[in-house]
Amino acid sequence: MRAGGFVFFKTNHMSGLLRWLIAAVVLSAAAFFMGEYHNDVYRKLLLWVTLALGYNFLFGICGQVAFSHFAFYGIGAYSIVIFLFQLHLPFPIAVLCGIALCILFALAVAIPSTRLEGFYLALATLALGQLFIVVLNEGGSVTGGTGGIANYRLPELFGMRVRGPWYTGVIVLLLVFTYSILKRLDDSWFGRACRAVRDNPEAAAAMGVDVARTKVIAFTLTSALAGVAGMVYAFVDNTVNPPIFGIENAFLLLFMVIVGGAGRHAGAVIGAVLLFLLPFWLSPLVGHHHALVFGVLVVAAILFQPGGLIGLWDRFSRSRS
Amino acid sequence: MGPILQVEKLTKRFGGLTAVAELDFEVREGEILGMIGPNGAGKTTTFNVIAGTYPATGGEVRFAGEPILGLPPHRIASRGVMRTFQHNRPFAGLPVIDNVLVGAHTRFAASLWSVVLGSARSDEGQRRKRAEELVQFVGLGELRDADVATLSFGQGRLLEIARALAGEPRLILFDEPAAGLTPAECARLAEIIRGIAARGIAVLLIEHDMHFLLPLAQRVVVLNFGAKIADGLPDEVRAHPAVMDAYLGSHATPQ
Ligand SMILES: Nc1ncnc2c1ncn2[C@@H]1O[C@H](COP(=O)(O)OP(=O)(O)OP(=O)(O)O)[C@@H](O)[C@H]1O
Ligand SMILES: [Mg+2]
């Protein structure tokens, strides 16, 4: 639909499934050529890209300003750990319960706030994000308090325990799964309805779009996807603790999408990769002040390049052709 | 033919201001009903109440025999009432063809689940073809993939029409489609509106400009201060003393 959509390979004739498979294999295989440290960085990068893709659908495509994405990531992560190791639920049940929990919370936030102006969703999700951290810190033995929960392991599935670079493969699957769902939605009547709601809600309603319902579905779906990503994250370091799921990271996610180019999958990927890797290069130069550089980047993007880096790329490739 | 839209004693008040007062009229199937009136007469408000954007203060609106007052706008659209806006309201982030496809929103059969699972055959391709035909029909064929920001004002008017048609309406509400168009564009627009009526779609056409409206409409309703002051055939309305009065001093004068 849109030129420059994020495609792994230009293979129109190749069947969709095969294309996804190849992408997954290539991205996973890379993990086997890395040392432990780089593998760790690579995994976090893949998770950030996954989160940015989901958040881009909510913020960039549907136009909803929400700060709860990391709270849902955390709800997913904590719930899988608690359900598995404290309630001793079977693995598939624990996963389903975790997703159900995310959906429940998402509906509880979205249904009242999407009926109001967009500002209230921002407020409600900000509150949820803060509340979640408080609950984690005060959760006693259930959440492990400020120290979180550690010393658990991914249970054996079908007699195997996935670990090392193989677990990177699981994260790649998560990324491909997330992207394929978002891409299908975006290319359908639903994605168009989301963009219409973002651009002009009154006209969208006149065209037959149920504005409130569209917003609630987009919010719930992307929140549930964040929850699933959180479940995968829980077994990356085999530890979950509160700071990861705070508001700072929710803002970083917003920055990634804005700098990369809101509303475009490729933009979300570029923004996530850039802002995730930037601190690694910057910290030798500016120490912990890289947040300042991010701030400048975001302000520059908003003022001078609202299409983000992907928009810049479009202009560049158009002027060359 | 029978009425597709029946408006009875429709009233809309904004605080102390009565924008629409006990308005009665009906649109028959396949006809072009014109609605004229000076600035602030309540024409757009009438549309907004019929389309569900504003709640009515009183009265009744029936579409295809069923009451529709109180339904939300998207439900009214899905029943087959589509509209254009007096001021262009495109979806700025979507190319022309996708703007039109949003108009077809209520006509997609694939459920959200089948979209996510990629399972059921999608009607996306078929809808897209329909939308392309409509873009051609209003004369924007060349601009199918254009950014809406690059459209001229007149092209934006045509996009509004194509988008509304994509919803496969039985009744279409046009709010001053000719406003701001050049005489050549007006002539083309008149042809397009005749073409729409010829497809069996009932048209309710608000227009300021009597020169444009009178040759096009089969019947005309005249509003002033929210109330109907005259209705009838174009020639009758033109000669009506109350209409002459209402338009005296106003910029559009009957010929
Ligand atoms: N949302 C609103 N709130 C308050 N008053 C309104 C609102 N919308 C319209 N009005 C008032 O209702 C009256 C009728 O306005 P309306 O827009 O329906 O007129 P119109 O016949 O479409 O005029 P025009 O030819 O200028 O488009 C005007 O006095 C207007 O100021
Ligand atoms: Mg008006």
Side-chain angles (χ1 to χ4, degrees):
Chain A
M1 176 166 74
R2 270 158 297 283
F6 182 60
V7 279
F8 288 99
F9 294 105
K10 266 234 162 359
T11 47
N12 297 332
H13 42 276
M14 222 192 280
S15 87
L17 196 64
L18 189 63
R19 197 164 77 191
W20 296 122
L21 213 66
I22 293 177
V25 168
V26 170
L27 285 173
S28 309
F32 289 86
F33 299 95
M34 295 175 189
E36 200 144 321
Y37 171 73
H38 282 113
N39 212 334
D40 184 53
V41 173
Y42 183 48
R43 286 170 177 176
K44 304 275 160 66
L45 172 66
L46 291 171
L47 284 166
W48 274 105
V49 170
T50 307
L51 288 172
L53 282 168
Y55 190 68
N56 174 53
F57 196 94
L58 184 63
F59 169 71
I61 293 177
C62 203
Q64 299 187 63
V65 182
F67 298 100
S68 53
H69 219 67
F70 263 87
F72 284 101
Y73 190 56
I75 292 172
Y78 268 88
S79 67
I80 190 87
V81 173
I82 292 170
F83 289 157
L84 278 179
F85 306 110
Q86 290 177 15
L87 303 181
H88 303 288
L89 297 179
F91 189 77
I93 306 286
V95 170
L96 288 180
C97 286
I99 295 175
L101 204 63
C102 287
I103 291 177
L104 228 62
F105 274 106
L107 289 175
V109 172
I111 290 177
S113 43
T114 47
R115 302 204 173 271
L116 306 167
E117 274 175 63
F119 172 66
Y120 290 94
L121 183 74
L123 223 58
T125 53
L126 215 50
L128 177 73
Q130 299 287 28
L131 194 69
F132 179 63
I133 297 299
V134 173
V135 169
L136 290 186
N137 284 331
E138 305 296 327
S141 61
V142 178
T143 64
T146 49
I149 312 174
N151 295 323
Y152 56 83
R153 294 199 295 174
L154 185 64
E156 289 190 358
L157 292 175
F158 311 111
M160 288 184 301
R161 181 169 281 130
V162 184
R163 64 175 113 206
W166 292 100
Y167 196 73
T168 310
V170 173
I171 303 175
V172 168
L173 282 182
L174 168 81
L175 168 59
V176 171
F177 164 80
T178 303
Y179 176 60
S180 71
I181 287 183
L182 295 173
K183 173 101 176 96
R184 276 185 192 143
L185 285 174
D186 188 27
D187 289 347
S188 75
W189 53 266
F190 183 74
R192 268 192 307 271
C194 286
R195 289 172 193 269
V197 165
R198 172 198 66 190
D199 289 348
N200 196 326
E202 201 185 321
M207 296 303 118
V209 177
D210 186 338
V211 173
R213 187 165 174 270
T214 303
K215 284 184 180 174
V216 168
I217 292 175
F219 183 81
T220 307
L221 227 133
T222 52
S223 297
L225 284 174
V228 173
M231 293 181 193
V232 173
Y233 167 76
F235 299 100
V236 167
D237 293 327
N238 288 332
T239 168
V240 285
N241 48 62
I244 303 287
F245 307 114
I247 294 297
E248 292 78 9
N249 277 341
F251 274 100
L252 181 52
L253 202 54
L254 177 67
F255 293 170
M256 286 173 169
V257 169
I258 290 176
V259 169
R264 302 273 298 272
H265 301 296
V269 174
I270 292 172
V273 171
L274 184 76
L275 292 203
F276 177 74
L277 294 180
L278 215 50
F280 291 93
W281 299 319
L282 284 180
S283 46
L285 303 174
V286 295
H288 283 297
H289 297 302
H290 60 252
L292 211 67
V293 179
F294 285 12
V296 171
L297 271 177
V298 171
V299 171
I302 291 171
L303 289 181
F304 306 114
Q305 182 54 36
L309 289 171
I310 190 71
L312 208 61
W313 167 256
D314 281 351
R315 254 195 298 175
F316 172 71
S317 50
R318 218 176 303 132
S319 67
R320 272 206 325 182
S321 65
Chain B
M1 275 205 249
I4 181 92
L5 184 80
Q6 294 158 285
V7 176
E8 286 159 24
K9 300 218 171 309
L10 187 67
T11 300
K12 175 65 187 173
R13 274 193 281 273
F14 294 108
L17 176 93
T18 304
V20 180
E22 308 239 321
L23 182 59
D24 289 298
F25 70 91
E26 60 179 45
V27 185
R28 297 172 196 154
E29 276 181 71
E31 89 168 330
I32 301 176
L33 178 70
M35 181 177 276
I36 54 171
N39 286 109
K43 306 180 295 291
T44 300
T45 304
T46 303
F47 267 26
N48 281 333
V49 174
I50 293 173
T53 311
Y54 295 155
T57 311
E60 179 78 273
V61 175
R62 254 184 263 277
F63 176 68
E66 309 219 353
I68 57 169
L69 271 192
L71 291 181
H74 64 268
R75 290 234 177 288
I76 295 174
S78 68
R79 287 187 180 208
V81 181
M82 297 295 283
R83 68 172 298 179
T84 66
F85 289 95
Q86 181 167 0
H87 304 285
N88 292 348
R89 291 194 185 176
F91 304 116
L94 295 175
V96 166
I97 182 76
D98 284 55
N99 266 270
V100 176
L101 277 164
V102 174
H105 179 80
T106 59
R107 304 298 168 220
F108 281 86
S111 74
L112 195 61
W113 281 118
S114 66
V115 167
V116 170
L117 299 174
S119 57
R121 268 180 307 108
S122 148
D123 44 357
E124 181 78 19
Q126 182 201 337
R127 287 284 150 206
R128 194 164 281 270
K129 231 179 94 206
R130 261 303 274 134
E132 276 163 17
E133 284 164 19
L134 288 172
V135 171
Q136 291 283 356
F137 172 70
V138 299
L140 294 176
E142 310 277 89
L143 295 162
R144 198 186 68 177
D145 299 311
D147 188 337
V148 290
T150 65
L151 299 189
S152 71
F153 176 78
Q155 289 164 338
R157 298 309 279 157
L158 296 173
L159 174 59
E160 288 269 323
I161 294 172
R163 188 174 71 173
L165 282 175
E168 296 176 357
R170 295 175 64 192
L171 169 68
I172 193 161
L173 312 175
F174 286 128
D175 198 346
E176 301 200 22
L181 297 190
T182 64
E185 286 174 325
C186 278
R188 259 197 53 65
L189 178 67
E191 278 321 298
I192 289 169
I193 292 175
R194 281 201 185 91
I196 291 168
R199 294 175 173 207
I201 300 169
V203 176
L204 178 52
L205 175 59
I206 290 182
E207 203 36 78
H208 230 115
D209 179 359
M210 292 217 201
H211 303 71
F212 178 79
L213 182 77
L214 294 183
L216 204 54
Q218 271 115 47
R219 292 185 308 127
V220 178
V221 173
V222 189
L223 295 190
N224 198 17
F225 297 113
K228 183 164 82 174
I229 54 168
D231 63 358
L233 302 174
D235 285 333
E236 294 168 5
V237 164
R238 197 199 315 260
H240 201 289
V243 179
M244 314 266 270
D245 275 352
Y247 267 81
L248 264 182
S250 172
H251 71 264
T253 329
Q255 8 175 206

